[in-house]
Amino acid sequence: MRTLLLLAAALIAAPALAQRSMPQPLPIVDEVPAARDTPFPGALTLHVDAADTARGVFKVTETIPVPPALAGKRMALLFPKWLPGKHAPRGEIEKVAGLEIRSGGTLLQWQRDPLDMYAFWVNVPAGATALDVKFDFLSATDDPQGRIVVTADMMNLQPNSVSIYPAGWYTRQIPVNLSVTWPEGWTAAGAMREAARSGNRITYATIDYEAMVDSPFFAGRHFAKWDLGQNVTMNVVADDARFLKATPDQIDKHRNLVTQAVKLFGTRQFDHYDLLVSLTDKMGGIGLEHHRSSENGVNPGYFTDWDRGPGRRNLLPHEFTHSWNGKHRRGADLVTPDFRTPMRNSMLWVYEGQTQFWGYVLQARSGLVAPDVTIDQIALIAATLDNRPARGWRSLDDTTNDPVMTPRLPKGWLSYQRSEDYYAEGMLIWLEADGIIRRESGGKRSLDDFARSFFGTGDGDWGVKPYTMASLVADLNAVQPYDWAGLLQRRLTEKADGAPLRGLEYLGWKLIYTEKSTAAFIDATARTLNLAFSGGLVIGPAGKVSQVIWATPAFDAGLAVGDVLLAVNEIPYSDDAMRAAITTARDTKQPIKLTVKTADRIHNVDLAWSGGLRYPRLERLGKGETGLEKLLAPRK
């Protein structure tokens, strides 16, 4: 009893515990003015000094007129954030340095918006008519900093990185007068046309800000260009002049690309078009579409090593197709008034998927890549997706969020995470659509008929014509009545074990695996030992594992990306030793013994794979010319 009384007294005497504080958050208020579709009062004057190739620094000076209504008030200036073609907020704001804003020579204080790091506020003096802006864009000088855009011999100048614009107007309503000082002796090319020249300073014709951002430049010490017809020019810069030695036949194949594309779509959705091509292993690689140009980074030996295999010859057909698909015809939720408004990517399986489809078709029709090699490339694409367990939990439509979720960074378990599969799997869907149209029309029509009616809407029109899922389905039905809405909904939302391969069967082929690799497989997997279909792993240089396929023998053995294979069956690791061990295990049915280095530990694992070497290819169904062969044949 005494103990209980003492405890009660202690509880009475103890101070009351403080209650948990529960404040209310401050409201989020976006003060940056929304864009209005009205003309901006005045024109921006922008000069870029691009002569500092040693440090890759672009020096920017810009004059922005002050609208009368903003004199004496706060004005917001924006650095481009959401970039078309990247489908994501990829503007490199972190590389902007030395920002100064003046009015009438007086330095003004600026402040970054607390919500939008790409927005800058400045108090405009009363009576001010213009803001003079100066900053440096510090391009990457080493790979960890980002893509290298300046080398000693070439550069890629992207206007979105060297300009800011006033908030509150549609960017297509803001005129810009751009001039660039190029390195001495260099030649520059892009969709913008020269208006005046003084030494190595070029002034370009006035253009609206939206179109300027869509008009990058390639410039270089070693430069060549070719007229491909149809108002299309191929402009090429190279690490060395010897790489520019293209043969007449190679150039003719690029002319065929232009000819076949115009035959396919029936129109040119541009007034002029510039294929910008860099032959380099020094400047960062790129493949980026624009309405009247495209940025195409390929290997230095694109021309001189032509006979070694197709390499990146699919890139130009893909990016050129985007002038019609993605730039002219675009999903309605991708149309934005400025570069601050978020992009919604729900239709990327059309934007990129059907572009992937036509890119492979046009490479074959033009002769850039032979039809039989193209068929072998399609086999590898189909097999890769057919061996992607992530399809069982993540549907294709969700992958259209990947550009925003991840800036194409490496993934540890790609086969279980998925990536931007709307490219390749989108292509398989459109192969299926072509096969259905051919079947349902008795061979009278194909996806070519859809392309001509859907993408070719008016010769020379380089504006944007948006579409929705409903209008897309209606246009497909106009070509060939079918349950397109049901088919596309299934393909976009299904969670299935295997890839949608029915289109290949409709077009006369099926996916199989053999012990002999195709030339296309070897070309596509150069510098790796691709055993994705032979145990479930891909091995890079020096035995380093670069990919492990989920739920395969390699996965079950505990292998992971970053592991290093030191030995195979107690023999020092080599690609040949690994191939030999897989072949032996097919007959002995015994596990392959691997010595593995994981971080700072060395251990042994058993790879229980006895299926031998397996390489994908397509096998013909039946006799005679197949639908796929008809699809890849050039149009007369």
Side-chain angles (χ1 to χ4, degrees), residues 412-462:
W413 300 100
L414 175 63
S415 63
Y416 195 49
Q417 294 169 280
R418 301 199 85 169
S419 183
E420 298 175 14
D421 288 359
Y422 51 81
Y423 279 88
E425 192 164 324
M427 184 187 76
L428 295 182
I429 291 173
W430 293 110
L431 277 168
E432 184 174 4
D434 181 75
I436 289 171
I437 294 173
R438 291 176 189 274
R439 183 192 66 194
E440 297 295 312
S441 68
K444 295 178 181 179
R445 289 180 294 279
S446 69
L447 203 63
D448 283 57
D449 297 276
F450 170 77
R452 195 175 186 90
S453 63
F454 187 75
F455 296 113
T457 66
D459 201 49
D461 178 9
W462 53 285

Side-chain angles (χ1 to χ4, degrees), residues 254-267:
H254 289 84
R255 289 196 180 97
N256 292 344
L257 167 62
V258 174
T259 300
Q260 288 296 320
V262 174
K263 286 180 181 292
L264 168 64
F265 298 115
T267 61

Side-chain angles (χ1 to χ4, degrees), residues 139-208:
S139 73
T141 56
D142 192 26
D143 287 336
Q145 302 168 19
R147 176 174 169 260
I148 303 293
V149 298
V150 180
T151 75
D153 296 298
M154 68 175 65
M155 71 172 57
N156 178 193
L157 175 58
Q158 297 175 317
N160 57 275
S161 294
V162 291
S163 62
I164 61 177
Y165 65 98
W169 284 266
Y170 277 36
T171 50
R172 68 189 181 201
Q173 295 278 16
I174 304 174
V176 187
N177 296 308
L178 170 68
S179 61
V180 182
T181 299
W182 297 104
E184 193 70 40
W186 285 29
T187 303
M192 297 183 65
R193 292 304 185 242
E194 180 178 327
R197 179 188 293 256
S198 178
N200 56 336
R201 176 170 174 155
I202 297 177
T203 300
Y204 295 91
T206 302
I207 194 170
D208 66 79

Side-chain angles (χ1 to χ4, degrees), residues 202-225:
I202 297 177
T203 300
Y204 295 91
T206 302
I207 194 170
D208 66 79
Y209 190 84
E210 181 180 83
M212 183 191 72
V213 167
D214 197 43
S215 304
F217 298 91
F218 275 10
R221 189 186 312 277
H222 311 294
F223 177 90
K225 70 176 181 178

